[in-house]
Coordinates of all heavy atoms in Angstrom, one line a residue:
Y15 N 8.9 -1.6 -3.3 CA 8.4 -2.5 -4.4 C 6.9 -2.6 -4.3 O 6.3 -2.6 -3.3 CB 9.0 -3.9 -4.2 CG 10.5 -3.9 -4.3 CD1 11.3 -3.8 -3.1 CD2 11.2 -3.9 -5.5 CE1 12.7 -3.8 -3.1 CE2 12.6 -3.9 -5.5 CZ 13.3 -3.8 -4.3 OH 14.7 -3.8 -4.4
A16 N 6.3 -2.7 -5.5 CA 4.9 -2.9 -5.6 C 4.7 -4.3 -6.3 O 5.3 -4.5 -7.4 CB 4.2 -1.8 -6.3
I17 N 3.9 -5.1 -5.7 CA 3.6 -6.4 -6.3 C 2.1 -6.5 -6.7 O 1.3 -6.2 -5.8 CB 4.0 -7.6 -5.4 CG1 5.5 -7.5 -5.1 CG2 3.6 -8.9 -6.0 CD1 5.9 -8.5 -4.1
G18 N 1.8 -6.9 -7.8 CA 0.4 -7.0 -8.2 C 0.2 -7.8 -9.5 O 1.1 -8.4 -10.0
Y19 N -1.1 -7.7 -9.9 CA -1.4 -8.4 -11.1 C -2.0 -7.4 -12.1 O -3.2 -7.2 -12.2 CB -2.5 -9.5 -10.9 CG -2.6 -10.5 -12.0 CD1 -1.7 -11.6 -12.1 CD2 -3.5 -10.3 -13.0 CE1 -1.8 -12.5 -13.1 CE2 -3.6 -11.2 -14.0 CZ -2.7 -12.3 -14.1 OH -2.8 -13.2 -15.1
S20 N -1.1 -6.7 -12.8 CA -1.5 -5.6 -13.7 C -2.3 -6.2 -14.8 O -2.0 -7.3 -15.4 CB -0.2 -5.0 -14.3 OG -0.5 -4.2 -15.4
L21 N -3.4 -5.6 -15.2 CA -4.2 -6.1 -16.3 C -3.5 -6.1 -17.6 O -3.7 -6.9 -18.5 CB -5.5 -5.2 -16.4 CG -6.5 -5.3 -15.3 CD1 -7.6 -4.4 -15.5 CD2 -6.9 -6.7 -15.0
A22 N -2.5 -5.2 -17.7 CA -1.7 -5.2 -19.0 C -0.5 -6.2 -19.0 O -0.2 -6.7 -20.0 CB -1.1 -3.8 -19.2
L23 N 0.1 -6.5 -17.8 CA 1.3 -7.3 -17.8 C 1.2 -8.6 -17.0 O 2.1 -9.4 -17.0 CB 2.4 -6.5 -17.2 CG 2.8 -5.2 -17.9 CD1 3.8 -4.4 -17.1 CD2 3.3 -5.5 -19.3
G24 N 0.1 -8.8 -16.4 CA 0.0 -10.0 -15.5 C 0.7 -9.8 -14.2 O 0.9 -8.7 -13.8
R25 N 1.3 -10.9 -13.7 CA 2.1 -10.7 -12.4 C 3.3 -9.8 -12.7 O 4.0 -10.0 -13.7 CB 2.6 -12.1 -12.0 CG 1.4 -12.9 -11.4 CD 1.9 -14.2 -11.0 NE 2.1 -15.0 -12.3 CZ 2.4 -16.3 -12.4 NH1 2.6 -17.0 -11.3 NH2 2.4 -16.9 -13.5
F26 N 3.4 -8.8 -11.8 CA 4.4 -7.8 -12.1 C 5.0 -7.3 -10.8 O 4.2 -7.0 -9.8 CB 3.8 -6.7 -12.9 CG 4.8 -5.8 -13.5 CD1 5.6 -6.1 -14.5 CD2 4.9 -4.5 -13.0 CE1 6.5 -5.3 -15.1 CE2 5.8 -3.6 -13.6 CZ 6.6 -4.0 -14.6
I27 N 6.3 -7.0 -10.7 CA 6.9 -6.3 -9.6 C 7.6 -5.1 -10.1 O 8.3 -5.2 -11.1 CB 8.0 -7.2 -8.9 CG1 7.3 -8.5 -8.3 CG2 8.7 -6.5 -7.8 CD1 8.3 -9.5 -7.8
S28 N 7.4 -4.0 -9.5 CA 8.1 -2.7 -9.9 C 8.7 -2.1 -8.6 O 8.3 -2.4 -7.5 CB 7.1 -1.8 -10.5 OG 6.0 -1.4 -9.6
S29 N 9.7 -1.3 -8.9 CA 10.4 -0.6 -7.7 C 10.3 0.9 -7.8 O 10.1 1.4 -8.9 CB 11.8 -1.1 -7.7 OG 12.5 -0.6 -8.8
G30 N 10.4 1.5 -6.7 CA 10.3 3.0 -6.6 C 10.6 3.4 -5.2 O 11.3 2.7 -4.5
N31 N 10.1 4.6 -4.9 CA 10.3 5.2 -3.6 C 9.0 5.6 -2.9 O 8.0 5.9 -3.6 CB 11.2 6.4 -3.7 CG 12.5 6.1 -4.3 OD1 13.3 5.3 -3.8 ND2 12.8 6.8 -5.4
V32 N 9.0 5.6 -1.6 CA 7.9 6.3 -0.9 C 8.2 7.8 -1.0 O 9.2 8.3 -0.7 CB 7.9 5.9 0.6 CG1 6.9 6.7 1.4 CG2 7.5 4.4 0.8
S33 N 7.2 8.5 -1.6 CA 7.4 9.9 -1.9 C 6.7 10.8 -0.9 O 7.0 12.0 -0.8 CB 6.9 10.2 -3.3 OG 5.6 9.8 -3.5
N34 N 5.8 10.3 -0.1 CA 5.1 11.1 0.9 C 4.5 10.1 1.9 O 3.6 9.4 1.6 CB 4.0 12.0 0.3 CG 3.4 13.0 1.3 OD1 3.4 12.7 2.4 ND2 3.0 14.1 0.8
E35 N 5.0 10.2 3.2 CA 4.5 9.3 4.2 C 3.2 9.6 4.8 O 2.5 8.8 5.4 CB 5.5 9.1 5.3 CG 6.8 8.4 4.8 CD 7.8 8.2 6.0 OE1 7.3 8.0 7.1 OE2 9.0 8.2 5.7
N36 N 2.8 10.9 4.7 CA 1.5 11.3 5.3 C 0.7 12.1 4.2 O 0.6 13.3 4.2 CB 1.7 12.2 6.5 CG 2.4 11.4 7.6 OD1 1.8 10.4 8.0 ND2 3.6 11.8 8.0
L37 N 0.1 11.3 3.3 CA -0.5 11.9 2.1 C -1.8 12.6 2.6 O -2.7 12.1 3.3 CB -0.9 10.8 1.2 CG -1.6 11.2 -0.1 CD1 -0.6 12.0 -1.0 CD2 -2.0 10.0 -0.9
P38 N -2.0 13.9 2.2 CA -3.2 14.6 2.5 C -4.3 14.1 1.5 O -4.1 14.2 0.3 CB -2.9 16.1 2.3 CG -1.7 16.1 1.3 CD -1.0 14.8 1.6
L39 N -5.3 13.5 2.1 CA -6.3 12.9 1.2 C -7.4 14.0 0.8 O -7.5 15.0 1.4 CB -7.0 11.8 2.0 CG -6.0 10.7 2.4 CD1 -6.7 9.6 3.1 CD2 -5.4 10.1 1.1
G40 N -8.1 13.6 -0.3 CA -9.0 14.6 -0.8 C -8.4 15.7 -1.5 O -8.8 16.8 -1.5
M41 N -7.2 15.4 -2.2 CA -6.4 16.5 -2.8 C -7.1 17.1 -4.0 O -6.9 18.2 -4.3 CB -5.1 15.9 -3.2 CG -4.2 15.5 -2.0 SD -2.6 14.9 -2.4 CE -2.7 14.3 -4.0
N42 N -7.9 16.3 -4.7 CA -8.6 16.9 -5.8 C -9.9 16.1 -6.0 O -10.2 15.2 -5.3 CB -7.8 16.8 -7.1 CG -7.4 15.4 -7.5 OD1 -8.2 14.5 -7.3 ND2 -6.2 15.2 -7.9
N43 N -10.7 16.5 -6.9 CA -12.1 15.9 -7.1 C -12.0 14.5 -7.7 O -12.9 13.8 -7.7 CB -12.9 16.8 -8.0 CG -13.3 18.1 -7.3 OD1 -13.3 18.1 -6.1 ND2 -13.5 19.1 -8.1
D44 N -10.8 14.1 -8.3 CA -10.7 12.8 -8.9 C -10.4 11.7 -7.9 O -10.5 10.5 -8.2 CB -9.6 12.8 -10.0 CG -9.9 13.8 -11.1 OD1 -11.1 14.0 -11.4 OD2 -9.0 14.3 -11.7
L45 N -9.9 12.1 -6.7 CA -9.5 11.1 -5.7 C -10.2 11.3 -4.4 O -10.0 12.4 -3.8 CB -8.0 11.1 -5.5 CG -7.5 10.2 -4.5 CD1 -7.7 8.7 -4.9 CD2 -6.0 10.4 -4.2
I46 N -11.0 10.4 -3.9 CA -11.6 10.5 -2.6 C -11.3 9.2 -1.9 O -11.8 8.2 -2.2 CB -13.2 10.7 -2.8 CG1 -13.4 12.0 -3.5 CG2 -13.8 10.7 -1.4 CD1 -14.9 12.2 -3.9
L47 N -10.5 9.4 -0.8 CA -10.2 8.3 0.1 C -10.7 8.7 1.5 O -10.5 9.8 1.9 CB -8.7 7.9 0.1 CG -8.1 7.4 -1.2 CD1 -6.6 7.3 -1.0 CD2 -8.8 6.0 -1.5
E48 N -11.4 7.7 2.2 CA -11.9 8.0 3.5 C -10.9 7.8 4.6 O -11.1 8.3 5.7 CB -13.1 7.2 3.7 CG -14.3 7.5 2.8 CD -15.5 6.6 3.0 OE1 -15.5 5.9 4.0 OE2 -16.4 6.7 2.1
R49 N -9.8 7.2 4.3 CA -8.8 7.0 5.4 C -7.8 8.1 5.4 O -7.5 8.8 4.5 CB -8.1 5.6 5.1 CG -9.0 4.5 5.0 CD -8.3 3.2 4.8 NE -7.6 2.9 6.1 CZ -7.8 1.8 6.8 NH1 -8.8 1.0 6.5 NH2 -7.1 1.6 7.9
R50 N -7.2 8.2 6.6 CA -6.1 9.3 6.8 C -4.7 8.6 7.0 O -3.9 9.2 7.6 CB -6.5 10.1 8.0 CG -7.7 10.9 7.8 CD -7.5 12.1 6.9 NE -8.7 12.8 6.7 CZ -8.9 13.5 5.6 NH1 -7.9 13.7 4.8 NH2 -10.0 14.1 5.4
D51 N -4.6 7.4 6.6 CA -3.3 6.7 6.8 C -2.7 6.2 5.5 O -2.3 5.0 5.4 CB -3.6 5.5 7.8 CG -4.8 4.7 7.5 OD1 -5.3 4.8 6.3 OD2 -5.2 3.9 8.3
A52 N -2.7 7.0 4.5 CA -2.2 6.7 3.2 C -0.8 7.3 3.0 O -0.4 8.2 3.7 CB -3.1 7.1 2.1
F53 N -0.1 6.7 2.0 CA 1.2 7.3 1.6 C 1.2 7.2 0.1 O 0.6 6.3 -0.5 CB 2.4 6.7 2.3 CG 2.6 5.2 2.0 CD1 3.4 4.8 1.0 CD2 2.0 4.3 2.8 CE1 3.6 3.4 0.7 CE2 2.2 2.9 2.6 CZ 3.0 2.5 1.5
S54 N 2.1 8.0 -0.6 CA 2.2 7.9 -2.0 C 3.6 7.2 -2.3 O 4.5 7.3 -1.5 CB 2.2 9.3 -2.7 OG 3.1 10.1 -2.2
F55 N 3.7 6.6 -3.4 CA 4.9 5.9 -3.8 C 5.1 5.9 -5.3 O 4.1 6.2 -6.0 CB 4.9 4.4 -3.3 CG 3.8 3.6 -3.8 CD1 4.1 2.7 -4.9 CD2 2.6 3.6 -3.3 CE1 3.0 1.9 -5.4 CE2 1.5 2.8 -3.8 CZ 1.8 1.9 -4.8
T56 N 6.3 5.8 -5.8 CA 6.6 5.9 -7.2 C 6.7 4.6 -8.0 O 7.0 4.7 -9.1 CB 7.9 6.8 -7.4 OG1 9.0 6.1 -6.8 CG2 7.7 8.1 -6.7
S57 N 6.6 3.5 -7.3 CA 6.6 2.2 -8.1 C 5.5 2.2 -9.1 O 4.3 2.4 -8.7 CB 6.5 1.0 -7.1 OG 7.5 1.0 -6.2
P58 N 5.7 2.0 -10.3 CA 4.6 2.1 -11.3 C 3.6 1.0 -11.1 O 4.0 -0.2 -10.9 CB 5.4 1.9 -12.7 CG 6.8 2.2 -12.4 CD 7.0 1.9 -11.0
I59 N 2.3 1.4 -11.1 CA 1.2 0.4 -11.0 C 0.2 0.8 -12.0 O 0.3 2.0 -12.6 CB 0.6 0.3 -9.6 CG1 0.0 1.6 -9.2 CG2 1.6 -0.2 -8.6 CD1 -0.9 1.5 -7.9
S60 N -0.7 0.0 -12.3 CA -1.8 0.2 -13.3 C -3.0 -0.5 -12.8 O -3.0 -1.2 -11.8 CB -1.3 -0.2 -14.7 OG -1.0 -1.5 -14.7
P61 N -4.1 -0.4 -13.6 CA -5.3 -1.1 -13.2 C -5.0 -2.6 -13.0 O -4.3 -3.2 -13.8 CB -6.3 -0.9 -14.4 CG -5.9 0.5 -14.9 CD -4.4 0.5 -14.8
G62 N -5.6 -3.1 -12.0 CA -5.3 -4.5 -11.6 C -4.4 -4.7 -10.5 O -4.3 -5.7 -9.8
N63 N -3.6 -3.7 -10.2 CA -2.6 -3.7 -9.1 C -3.3 -3.4 -7.7 O -2.7 -3.7 -6.7 CB -1.5 -2.8 -9.3 CG -0.5 -3.3 -10.2 OD1 -0.5 -2.9 -11.4 ND2 0.4 -4.2 -9.8
S64 N -4.5 -2.9 -7.7 CA -5.1 -2.5 -6.4 C -5.2 -3.8 -5.5 O -5.6 -4.9 -6.0 CB -6.5 -1.9 -6.6 OG -6.4 -0.7 -7.3
G65 N -4.9 -3.6 -4.3 CA -4.9 -4.7 -3.3 C -3.6 -5.4 -3.2 O -3.4 -6.3 -2.4
G66 N -2.7 -5.0 -4.1 CA -1.3 -5.7 -4.1 C -0.5 -5.1 -3.0 O -0.7 -4.0 -2.5
A67 N 0.5 -5.9 -2.6 CA 1.5 -5.5 -1.6 C 2.4 -4.4 -2.0 O 2.9 -4.4 -3.1 CB 2.3 -6.7 -1.2
V68 N 2.7 -3.5 -1.1 CA 3.8 -2.5 -1.2 C 4.8 -2.9 -0.2 O 4.5 -2.9 1.0 CB 3.3 -1.1 -1.0 CG1 4.4 -0.1 -1.2 CG2 2.2 -0.8 -2.1
L69 N 6.0 -3.1 -0.6 CA 7.1 -3.6 0.3 C 8.3 -2.7 0.3 O 8.5 -1.9 -0.6 CB 7.6 -5.0 -0.3 CG 6.6 -6.1 -0.5 CD1 7.2 -7.2 -1.3 CD2 6.1 -6.6 0.8
S70 N 9.0 -2.7 1.5 CA 10.2 -1.9 1.6 C 11.3 -2.9 2.0 O 11.1 -3.9 2.7 CB 10.0 -0.9 2.8 OG 11.2 -0.2 3.0
A71 N 12.5 -2.6 1.4 CA 13.7 -3.5 1.7 C 14.6 -2.7 2.7 O 14.8 -1.5 2.6 CB 14.5 -3.7 0.4
A72 N 15.0 -3.5 3.7 CA 15.9 -2.9 4.7 C 16.7 -4.1 5.4 O 16.1 -5.1 5.7 CB 15.2 -2.2 5.8
K73 N 18.0 -3.9 5.4 CA 18.9 -4.9 6.1 C 18.7 -6.3 5.5 O 18.6 -7.3 6.2 CB 18.7 -4.9 7.6 CG 19.0 -3.6 8.2 CD 18.8 -3.6 9.7 CE 19.1 -2.2 10.3 NZ 18.9 -2.2 11.7
G74 N 18.5 -6.4 4.2 CA 18.4 -7.7 3.5 C 17.1 -8.4 3.6 O 16.9 -9.5 3.3
K75 N 16.1 -7.7 4.2 CA 14.7 -8.3 4.3 C 13.7 -7.4 3.7 O 13.9 -6.2 3.5 CB 14.4 -8.4 5.8 CG 15.2 -9.4 6.6 CD 14.8 -9.5 8.0 CE 15.6 -10.5 8.7 NZ 15.1 -10.7 10.1
L76 N 12.6 -8.0 3.3 CA 11.4 -7.2 2.7 C 10.4 -7.1 3.8 O 10.1 -8.1 4.5 CB 10.8 -7.9 1.5 CG 11.7 -7.9 0.2 CD1 11.0 -8.7 -0.8 CD2 11.9 -6.5 -0.2
Y77 N 9.8 -5.9 3.9 CA 8.8 -5.7 4.9 C 7.5 -5.2 4.2 O 7.6 -4.3 3.3 CB 9.2 -4.6 5.9 CG 10.4 -5.0 6.7 CD1 11.7 -4.8 6.3 CD2 10.2 -5.7 7.9 CE1 12.8 -5.2 7.1 CE2 11.3 -6.2 8.7 CZ 12.6 -5.9 8.3 OH 13.6 -6.3 9.0
L78 N 6.4 -5.7 4.6 CA 5.1 -5.3 4.0 C 4.8 -4.0 4.7 O 4.6 -3.9 5.9 CB 4.0 -6.3 4.3 CG 2.6 -5.9 3.9 CD1 2.5 -5.8 2.4 CD2 1.6 -7.0 4.4
I79 N 4.6 -2.9 3.9 CA 4.4 -1.6 4.5 C 3.0 -1.0 4.1 O 2.5 -0.1 4.7 CB 5.5 -0.5 4.2 CG1 5.6 -0.3 2.7 CG2 6.8 -1.0 4.8 CD1 6.4 0.9 2.3
G80 N 2.4 -1.6 3.1 CA 1.1 -1.1 2.7 C 0.4 -1.9 1.6 O 1.0 -2.9 1.1
I81 N -0.8 -1.5 1.3 CA -1.6 -2.2 0.2 C -1.9 -1.1 -0.8 O -2.5 -0.1 -0.4 CB -2.9 -2.8 0.8 CG1 -2.5 -3.8 1.9 CG2 -3.7 -3.4 -0.3 CD1 -1.8 -5.0 1.4
A82 N -1.6 -1.3 -2.1 CA -1.9 -0.4 -3.1 C -3.4 -0.2 -3.3 O -4.1 -1.2 -3.3 CB -1.3 -0.9 -4.4
V83 N -3.9 1.0 -3.4 CA -5.3 1.2 -3.5 C -5.7 2.2 -4.7 O -6.8 2.1 -5.1 CB -5.9 1.8 -2.2 CG1 -5.8 0.8 -1.1 CG2 -5.3 3.1 -1.8
A84 N -4.7 3.0 -5.2 CA -5.1 3.9 -6.2 C -3.9 4.4 -6.9 O -2.8 4.3 -6.4 CB -5.9 5.1 -5.6
Y85 N -4.1 5.0 -8.1 CA -3.1 5.7 -8.8 C -3.7 6.9 -9.5 O -5.0 6.9 -9.8 CB -2.4 4.8 -9.8 CG -3.2 4.3 -11.0 CD1 -3.2 5.0 -12.2 CD2 -4.2 3.3 -10.9 CE1 -4.0 4.7 -13.3 CE2 -5.0 3.0 -11.9 CZ -4.9 3.6 -13.1 OH -5.7 3.3 -14.2
F86 N -2.9 7.9 -9.9 CA -3.4 9.0 -10.6 C -3.3 8.8 -12.1 O -2.2 8.5 -12.6 CB -2.6 10.3 -10.2 CG -3.0 10.8 -8.9 CD1 -2.2 10.5 -7.8 CD2 -4.1 11.6 -8.7 CE1 -2.4 11.0 -6.5 CE2 -4.4 12.1 -7.4 CZ -3.6 11.8 -6.4
A87 N -4.4 8.7 -12.8 CA -4.4 8.5 -14.2 C -3.7 9.5 -15.0 O -3.0 9.2 -16.0 CB -5.9 8.4 -14.7
N88 N -3.7 10.8 -14.5 CA -3.0 11.9 -15.2 C -1.6 12.2 -14.6 O -1.1 13.2 -15.0 CB -3.9 13.1 -15.2 CG -5.1 12.9 -16.0 OD1 -5.1 12.2 -17.0 ND2 -6.2 13.5 -15.6
G89 N -1.2 11.4 -13.7 CA 0.2 11.6 -13.1 C 1.0 10.4 -13.4 O 0.6 9.2 -13.5
Q90 N 2.3 10.6 -13.6 CA 3.2 9.5 -13.8 C 3.8 9.0 -12.5 O 4.5 9.7 -11.8 CB 4.3 9.9 -14.8 CG 3.8 10.2 -16.1 CD 4.9 10.6 -17.1 OE1 6.1 10.6 -16.7 NE2 4.6 10.8 -18.3
N91 N 3.5 7.7 -12.2 CA 4.1 7.0 -11.1 C 3.8 7.7 -9.8 O 4.6 7.7 -8.8 CB 5.6 6.8 -11.2 CG 5.9 6.0 -12.4 OD1 5.1 5.2 -12.8 ND2 7.1 6.2 -13.0
L92 N 2.6 8.3 -9.6 CA 2.1 8.8 -8.4 C 1.0 7.9 -7.9 O -0.1 8.0 -8.5 CB 1.6 10.3 -8.5 CG 1.1 10.9 -7.2 CD1 2.2 10.8 -6.1 CD2 0.7 12.3 -7.5
N93 N 1.3 7.0 -7.0 CA 0.4 6.0 -6.6 C 0.1 6.1 -5.1 O 0.9 6.6 -4.4 CB 1.0 4.6 -7.0 CG 1.4 4.7 -8.4 OD1 0.6 4.9 -9.3 ND2 2.7 4.5 -8.6
I94 N -1.0 5.5 -4.6 CA -1.4 5.6 -3.2 C -1.5 4.2 -2.6 O -2.1 3.3 -3.2 CB -2.7 6.4 -3.1 CG1 -2.4 7.8 -3.7 CG2 -3.1 6.4 -1.7 CD1 -3.7 8.6 -3.9
A95 N -1.1 4.1 -1.4 CA -1.2 2.8 -0.6 C -1.7 3.2 0.8 O -1.5 4.3 1.3 CB 0.1 2.1 -0.5
I96 N -2.4 2.3 1.4 CA -2.8 2.4 2.8 C -1.8 1.7 3.6 O -1.3 0.6 3.3 CB -4.2 1.8 3.1 CG1 -5.3 2.5 2.2 CG2 -4.6 1.9 4.5 CD1 -5.5 3.9 2.4
K97 N -1.3 2.3 4.7 CA -0.3 1.8 5.6 C -0.8 0.5 6.2 O -2.0 0.3 6.5 CB 0.1 2.7 6.7 CG 0.7 4.0 6.2 CD 1.0 5.0 7.3 CE 1.6 6.3 6.7 NZ 1.8 7.3 7.8
I98 N 0.1 -0.5 6.3 CA -0.3 -1.9 6.7 C -0.8 -2.0 8.2 O -1.7 -2.7 8.5 CB 0.7 -2.9 6.4 CG1 0.2 -4.3 6.5 CG2 2.0 -2.7 7.3 CD1 -0.9 -4.6 5.6
N99 N -0.1 -1.2 9.1 CA -0.5 -1.4 10.5 C -1.9 -1.0 10.8 O -2.6 -1.7 11.5 CB 0.5 -0.6 11.4 CG 1.8 -1.3 11.5 OD1 1.9 -2.5 11.2 ND2 2.9 -0.6 11.8
P100 N -2.4 0.1 10.3 CA -3.8 0.5 10.5 C -4.8 -0.6 9.9 O -5.9 -0.9 10.4 CB -4.0 1.8 9.8 CG -2.7 2.4 9.9 CD -1.7 1.3 9.7
I101 N -4.4 -1.2 8.7 CA -5.2 -2.2 8.1 C -5.3 -3.4 9.1 O -6.4 -4.0 9.3 CB -4.7 -2.6 6.8 CG1 -4.8 -1.5 5.7 CG2 -5.3 -3.9 6.3 CD1 -4.1 -1.8 4.4
L102 N -4.1 -3.8 9.6 CA -4.1 -5.0 10.5 C -4.9 -4.7 11.8 O -5.6 -5.5 12.3 CB -2.7 -5.3 10.9 CG -1.9 -5.9 9.7 CD1 -0.4 -6.1 10.2 CD2 -2.5 -7.2 9.2
A103 N -4.9 -3.4 12.3 CA -5.6 -3.0 13.5 C -7.1 -3.1 13.2 O -7.9 -3.6 14.0 CB -5.3 -1.6 13.9
D104 N -7.5 -2.7 12.0 CA -9.0 -2.8 11.6 C -9.4 -4.3 11.5 O -10.5 -4.6 12.0 CB -9.2 -2.2 10.2 CG -9.2 -0.6 10.3 OD1 -9.2 -0.1 11.4 OD2 -9.1 0.0 9.2
I105 N -8.6 -5.1 11.0 CA -8.9 -6.6 10.9 C -9.0 -7.2 12.3 O -9.9 -7.9 12.6 CB -7.8 -7.3 10.0 CG1 -7.9 -6.8 8.6 CG2 -8.0 -8.8 10.1 CD1 -6.8 -7.3 7.7
Q106 N -8.1 -6.8 13.2 CA -8.1 -7.3 14.5 C -9.3 -6.9 15.3 O -9.9 -7.6 16.0 CB -6.8 -6.8 15.3 CG -6.7 -7.5 16.6 CD -5.4 -7.2 17.3 OE1 -4.7 -6.2 17.0 NE2 -5.0 -8.0 18.3
K107 N -9.8 -5.6 15.1 CA -11.0 -5.1 15.7 C -12.2 -6.0 15.3 O -13.1 -6.1 16.1 CB -11.3 -3.7 15.3 CG -10.4 -2.7 16.0 CD -10.7 -1.3 15.5 CE -9.7 -0.3 15.9 NZ -9.9 1.0 15.3
Q108 N -12.2 -6.6 14.1 CA -13.3 -7.4 13.7 C -13.2 -8.8 14.3 O -14.0 -9.7 14.0 CB -13.3 -7.5 12.2 CG -13.5 -6.2 11.5 CD -14.9 -5.6 11.9 OE1 -15.9 -6.2 11.9 NE2 -14.9 -4.3 12.2
G109 N -12.1 -9.1 15.0 CA -11.9 -10.4 15.6 C -11.4 -11.5 14.6 O -11.5 -12.7 14.9
C110 N -10.8 -11.1 13.5 CA -10.4 -12.0 12.5 C -8.9 -12.3 12.6 O -8.4 -13.1 11.8 CB -10.7 -11.4 11.1 SG -12.4 -11.1 10.8
L111 N -8.2 -11.6 13.4 CA -6.7 -11.7 13.4 C -6.2 -11.5 14.8 O -6.6 -10.5 15.5 CB -6.1 -10.7 12.4 CG -4.6 -10.6 12.3 CD1 -4.1 -11.9 11.7 CD2 -4.3 -9.4 11.4
N112 N -5.3 -12.3 15.3 CA -4.6 -12.1 16.6 C -3.2 -11.6 16.3 O -2.3 -12.4 16.0 CB -4.7 -13.4 17.4 CG -4.1 -13.2 18.8 OD1 -3.3 -12.3 19.0 ND2 -4.5 -14.0 19.7
I113 N -3.0 -10.3 16.4 CA -1.7 -9.7 16.1 C -0.6 -10.2 17.1 O 0.5 -10.5 16.7 CB -1.8 -8.2 16.1 CG1 -2.8 -7.6 15.1 CG2 -0.4 -7.6 15.9 CD1 -2.4 -7.8 13.7
T114 N -1.0 -10.4 18.3 CA 0.0 -10.8 19.4 C 0.5 -12.2 19.0 O 1.7 -12.5 19.1 CB -0.7 -10.9 20.7 OG1 -1.2 -9.6 21.0 CG2 0.3 -11.2 21.8
E115 N -0.4 -13.1 18.6 CA 0.0 -14.5 18.2 C 0.9 -14.4 17.0 O 1.9 -15.1 16.9 CB -1.3 -15.3 17.9 CG -1.0 -16.7 17.6 CD -2.2 -17.5 17.3 OE1 -3.2 -17.4 18.1 OE2 -2.3 -18.2 16.2
L116 N 0.7 -13.6 16.0 CA 1.5 -13.5 14.8 C 2.9 -13.0 15.2 O 3.9 -13.5 14.7 CB 0.9 -12.5 13.8 CG -0.3 -13.0 13.0 CD1 -0.8 -11.9 12.1 CD2 0.1 -14.2 12.2
K117 N 3.0 -12.0 16.1 CA 4.3 -11.5 16.5 C 5.1 -12.5 17.2 O 6.3 -12.6 17.1 CB 4.1 -10.2 17.3 CG 3.7 -9.0 16.5 CD 3.6 -7.8 17.4 CE 3.1 -6.6 16.6 NZ 2.9 -5.4 17.5
S118 N 4.5 -13.3 18.0 CA 5.2 -14.3 18.8 C 5.8 -15.5 18.0 O 6.7 -16.1 18.3 CB 4.3 -14.9 19.9 OG 3.3 -15.7 19.4
K119 N 5.2 -15.7 16.8 CA 5.7 -16.7 15.9 C 6.9 -16.3 15.1 O 7.6 -17.1 14.6 CB 4.6 -17.2 14.9 CG 3.5 -17.9 15.6 CD 2.4 -18.3 14.6 CE 1.3 -19.1 15.3 NZ 0.2 -19.5 14.3
N120 N 7.2 -15.0 15.0 CA 8.3 -14.5 14.2 C 9.6 -14.4 15.1 O 9.8 -14.1 16.1 CB 8.0 -13.2 13.6 CG 6.9 -13.4 12.5 OD1 6.8 -14.4 11.9 ND2 6.1 -12.4 12.4

């Protein structure tokens, strides 16, 4: 699922599939991402959805798996997210988040 605030629709949730777990970045001249921890998904997103949550459902629970960062303007439902664990690791390196403390509360 992708959750965001589409400029066209406002608050919006869409569903789809993870289509590639290890997206090769720099695939064309239209998309340049500096990270190597992205994946593509088919939940429709549009401008305004960037920064929104990408969730996966398993065993009756929703799990945050990524943050939407881009979509292909000339592709249908080919969207890109950064995996959540590397994002959390980057935040923790900055001293802004204690991952151990968060895990112990759950």
Side-chain angles (χ1 to χ4, degrees):
Y15 299 95
I17 299 175
Y19 197 86
S20 165
L21 295 179
L23 300 172
R25 288 177 283 186
F26 193 71
I27 298 173
S28 60
S29 65
N31 299 303
V32 171
S33 53
N34 187 330
E35 291 184 33
N36 296 301
L37 184 66
L39 300 178
M41 296 183 332
N42 62 38
N43 292 332
D44 296 332
L45 176 67
I46 299 172
L47 293 174
E48 296 178 8
R49 302 185 68 113
R50 296 283 175 204
D51 47 13
F53 63 92
S54 60
F55 61 98
T56 63
S57 301
I59 64 171
S60 60
N63 282 101
S64 295
V68 179
L69 306 166
S70 178
K73 298 181 182 177
K75 295 183 178 182
L76 288 175
Y77 296 90
L78 177 64
I79 61 169
I81 302 296
V83 295
Y85 69 97
F86 286 98
N88 294 325
Q90 292 184 358
N91 300 331
L92 181 56
N93 310 300
I94 299 170
I96 302 295
K97 295 175 183 175
I98 194 61
N99 288 338
I101 291 171
L102 293 175
D104 288 348
I105 293 170
Q106 187 173 20
K107 284 179 193 174
Q108 299 298 317
C110 301
L111 179 65
N112 184 334
I113 301 292
T114 306
E115 184 178 309
L116 285 176
K117 288 181 180 178
S118 67
K119 290 181 180 179
N120 293 329

